[in-house]
Amino acid sequence: MKVKDIGRIIEDFAPKTLQESYDNAGLQVGNPDMEVSAVLLSLDVTEDVVREAKERECNLIVTHHPLIFKGLKSLTGADLTQRLVVECIKENIAVYSAHTNLDSVREGVSHEIAQKLNIKSTEILEPQALNPNAGLGVVGNITPVPKIEFLRRVKETFQVGALRYSAQSPSVVIKRVAVCGGAGASLISAAIKAKADIIVTGDVKYHDFASYGSEIIIADIGHFESELCAREILARVIRHKAPDISLYFSENEKNPIKIL
């Protein structure tokens, strides 16, 4: 099986047409006609991940976050992205990324989060204008549970070191939950409109807590923690169509943010 075949399998599930205009999903580095020996799955491409790919003899890294997000004007090794691109080319390692297309597709990242939290009767929180069956975020219902108990469940489920949440919300029971993988603060208003009691996401700013915290509980579980499940989705998709391909989850991937 070739690199382009793995790409086609992923895109059959999460078409690149679903990605946001600012995004850069797809093949980042490598020859699409190269035969794949094994695949390493990770959230990001890092020096440790590339080293692990070499050690495991994986010549394809499949990630959620694109290695090349903004345009490169040179390949001189002047920054980390350039050095990683050069290293992958030198070692004949291809890199493929499925980003906001994997966020927007049904059964994508937010749907995976919803499933882990046992959220039922889910709807897309912010449907795409031209495709209402795809979009960012998910909202749905759970069996009513006290706020603190649900927050503890979220913290444990996603192994969050420190869960930030809005303290000023008057809600004490949670029945309706909105979720969005990654940086989902822009969907807080949509979650309020959808009558959610809480939104679970990452990368929430102080002023978001201050502005909306009295209208909805905001739980910030971190960007890394909310999107690590992308690897599980990609593994299922590839294994379904290419069961004989060797797949590995990166064991050297680490959250770049530490909590003291």
Side-chain angles (χ1 to χ4, degrees):
M1 184 159 284
K2 298 179 179 180
V3 169
K4 65 182 179 183
D5 298 321
I6 300 296
R8 189 178 301 113
I9 288 169
I10 295 171
E11 290 167 29
D12 284 346
F13 173 77
K16 287 201 294 182
T17 53
L18 297 182
Q19 71 177 318
E20 298 295 309
S21 58
Y22 58 81
D23 202 8
N24 186 36
L27 185 61
Q28 308 279 294
V29 177
N31 181 356
D33 289 313
M34 181 175 67
E35 292 288 337
V36 177
S37 58
V39 178
L40 184 66
L41 298 165
S42 66
L43 189 62
D44 296 283
V45 180
T46 66
E47 291 173 311
D48 286 340
V49 169
V50 173
R51 190 177 304 114
E52 183 179 3
K54 290 190 289 184
E55 291 171 355
R56 289 179 178 267
E57 297 184 347
C58 298
N59 64 348
L60 174 59
I61 300 173
V62 175
T63 71
H64 183 45
H65 293 147
L67 171 58
I68 303 172
F69 195 66
K70 297 178 181 179
L72 291 176
K73 294 186 177 180
S74 62
L75 280 176
T76 63
D79 58 36
L80 179 59
T81 299
Q82 291 184 40
R83 291 195 295 275
L84 288 169
V85 170
V86 170
E87 182 68 11
C88 288
I89 292 172
K90 184 175 71 174
E91 297 295 336
N92 206 27
I93 296 173
V95 178
Y96 183 97
S97 303
H99 192 211
T100 52
N101 51 325
L102 194 66
D103 292 328
S104 292
V105 70
R106 278 198 177 275
E107 300 181 12
V109 173
S110 293
H111 295 266
E112 188 78 6
I113 295 172
Q115 186 175 38
K116 289 179 180 295
L117 294 175
N118 202 28
I119 301 171
K120 306 296 184 183
S121 304
T122 56
E123 306 167 11
I124 295 171
L125 189 57
E126 190 176 77
Q128 292 189 354
L130 299 179
N131 186 355
N133 291 316
L136 299 175
V138 164
V139 62
N141 305 319
I142 62 169
T143 302
V145 61
K147 173 175 68 176
I148 295 300
E149 183 180 331
F150 183 76
L151 288 170
R152 286 177 179 148
R153 183 190 304 170
V154 169
K155 188 174 188 290
E156 180 179 348
T157 299
F158 297 97
Q159 299 181 23
V160 181
L163 176 62
R164 300 194 307 151
Y165 70 94
S166 51
Q168 69 271 45
S169 172
S171 300
V172 293
V173 176
I174 294 175
K175 298 175 289 185
R176 190 160 171 81
V177 180
V179 301
C180 181
S186 62
L187 273 70
I188 293 175
S189 294
I192 294 170
K193 186 177 179 181
K195 302 187 184 306
D197 301 304
I198 185 171
I199 180 168
V200 178
T201 187
D203 291 350
V204 181
K205 296 179 181 178
Y206 170 87
H207 291 291
D208 295 319
F209 283 110
S211 298
Y212 300 107
S214 60
E215 299 179 71
I216 188 172
I217 303 166
I218 303 167
D220 186 339
I221 65 174
H223 198 121
F224 180 90
E225 291 84 352
S226 72
E227 291 193 321
L228 201 57
C229 63
R231 305 186 312 171
E232 300 171 30
I233 301 169
L234 290 165
R236 283 200 303 269
V237 169
I238 295 171
R239 281 175 177 147
H240 179 66
K241 294 288 183 70
D244 296 329
I245 285 288
S246 296
L247 287 176
Y248 301 96
F249 289 102
S250 174
E251 296 177 356
N252 291 306
E253 184 166 42
K254 300 178 182 68
N255 191 337
I257 300 172
K258 293 293 183 183
I259 297 169
L260 183 62

